[in-house]
């Protein structure tokens, strides 16, 4: 809800906890058909080698028209989810899975780096770090494909009203 309040360790721990609420391979991101079609259309332009940043649950990886993808997840738990989702939905894709580290100078070598509905979930500091790593990883004519959601004014208003009433721990609303 507030990416600025989360460092990379907090985000990793949250993702591990959230993943455990369900089973391996279950897509956890809620999308519309419009969002999914946007992803499919945008991925038609990608070139190998490909790096995907923060796949999280792997649901978008199955839409890739390529067969070899290096993924960076925040922890081994989310990497397992990504792997199982791909296995269930598109067995032709071969993943080279890595765990993200802020200390990396680059993420490897790529013609395309993707971040699908994930960049907006990162703090400004982490986002800048990822951008630097991506820039160092891309070919001269490489592409960093970012697909993100626009913040919704009404959602932010609703969320902030809940925070005013209950504080930062929104679990109290239950």
């Amino acid at each position: 809800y507030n990416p600025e309040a989360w460092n990379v360790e907090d985000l990793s721990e949250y993702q591990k906890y959230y993943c455990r609420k369900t089973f391996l391979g279950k897509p956890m991101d809620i999308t519309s058909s419009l969002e999914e079609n946007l992803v499919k259309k945008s991925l038609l332009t990608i070139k190998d080698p490909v790096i995907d940043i923060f796949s999280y649950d792997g649901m978008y990886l199955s839409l890739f028209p390529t067969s070899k993808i290096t993924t960076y997840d925040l922890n081994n738990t989310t990497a397992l989810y990504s792997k199982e989702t791909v296995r269930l939905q598109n067995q032709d894709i071969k993943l080279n899975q890595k765990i993200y580290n802020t200390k990396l100078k680059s993420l490897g070598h790529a013609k395309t780096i993707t971040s699908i509905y994930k960049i907006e979930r990162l703090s400004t500091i982490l986002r800048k770090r990822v951008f630097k790593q991506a820039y160092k990883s891309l070919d001269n004519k490489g592409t960093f494909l970012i697909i993100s959601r626009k913040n919704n004014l009404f959602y932010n208003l609703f969320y902030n009203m809940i925070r005013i009433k209950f504080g930062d721990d929104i679990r109290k609303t239950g």
Side-chain angles (χ1 to χ4, degrees), residues 1 152-166 170 173:
Y1 297 109
N152 183 313
L153 174 66
F154 296 112
Y155 175 76
N156 286 337
L157 180 63
F158 174 72
Y159 172 68
N160 286 323
M161 287 185 339
I162 289 175
R163 282 189 57 217
I164 288 168
K165 178 150 176 71
F166 295 102
I170 62 165
T173 60

Side-chain angles (χ1 to χ4, degrees), residues 22-30 57-59 81 85 88-89:
T22 185
F23 57 89
L24 288 175
K26 181 183 185 316
M28 291 179 278
D29 213 355
I30 299 169
D57 63 355
M59 72 179 285
Y81 275 79
T85 301
L88 291 172
Q89 295 183 12

Side-chain angles (χ1 to χ4, degrees), residues 32 37 77-78 82 87 94 113 131 137-138 155-156 170 174:
S32 69
N37 288 333
T77 303
T78 56
S82 294
R87 188 189 73 74
K94 304 293 181 245
I113 296 178
F131 287 163
S137 303
L138 283 170
Y155 175 76
N156 286 337
I170 62 165

Side-chain angles (χ1 to χ4, degrees), residues 5-156:
W6 298 64
N7 63 34
V8 70
E9 292 82 17
D10 294 335
L11 190 56
S12 177
E13 286 302 310
Y14 174 78
Q15 286 185 356
K16 280 196 277 189
Y17 169 78
Y18 194 78
C19 284
R20 292 182 187 132
K21 289 177 32 175
T22 185
F23 57 89
L24 288 175
K26 181 183 185 316
M28 291 179 278
D29 213 355
I30 299 169
T31 62
S32 69
S33 59
L34 180 66
E35 289 173 324
E36 192 170 311
N37 288 333
L38 172 67
V39 171
K40 286 179 186 176
K41 184 178 178 183
S42 300
L43 289 176
L44 293 175
T45 64
I46 67 172
K47 295 183 176 115
D48 287 336
V50 174
I51 295 173
D52 184 67
I53 301 172
F54 308 133
S55 305
Y56 182 46
D57 63 355
M59 72 179 285
Y60 299 107
L61 294 174
S62 62
L63 303 176
F64 279 61
T66 186
S67 61
K68 293 181 183 176
I69 305 167
T70 298
T71 63
Y72 279 91
D73 279 294
L74 290 176
N75 56 66
N76 289 320
T77 303
T78 56
L80 281 172
Y81 275 79
S82 294
K83 184 177 182 177
E84 185 62 11
T85 301
V86 168
R87 188 189 73 74
L88 291 172
Q89 295 183 12
N90 189 343
Q91 295 181 356
D92 294 334
I93 291 178
K94 304 293 181 245
L95 296 180
N96 176 20
Q97 293 183 289
K98 297 183 178 186
I99 303 303
Y100 178 76
N101 183 335
T102 57
K103 293 179 173 73
L104 294 172
K105 296 254 187 251
S106 80
L107 302 172
H109 169 76
K111 288 187 180 177
T112 307
I113 296 178
T114 60
S115 181
I116 302 171
Y117 299 122
K118 302 300 186 270
I119 285 292
E120 67 269 24
R121 299 176 185 182
L122 306 178
S123 69
T124 303
I125 292 169
L126 182 54
R127 197 170 34 242
K128 285 180 180 180
R129 182 70 191 142
V130 168
F131 287 163
K132 284 181 185 177
Q133 291 168 321
Y135 180 77
K136 290 183 181 199
S137 303
L138 283 170
D139 281 353
N140 287 339
K141 295 186 180 188
T143 302
F144 189 179
L145 174 64
I146 299 170
I147 301 173
S148 66
R149 292 179 178 97
K150 182 179 175 185
N151 283 338
N152 183 313
L153 174 66
F154 296 112
Y155 175 76
N156 286 337

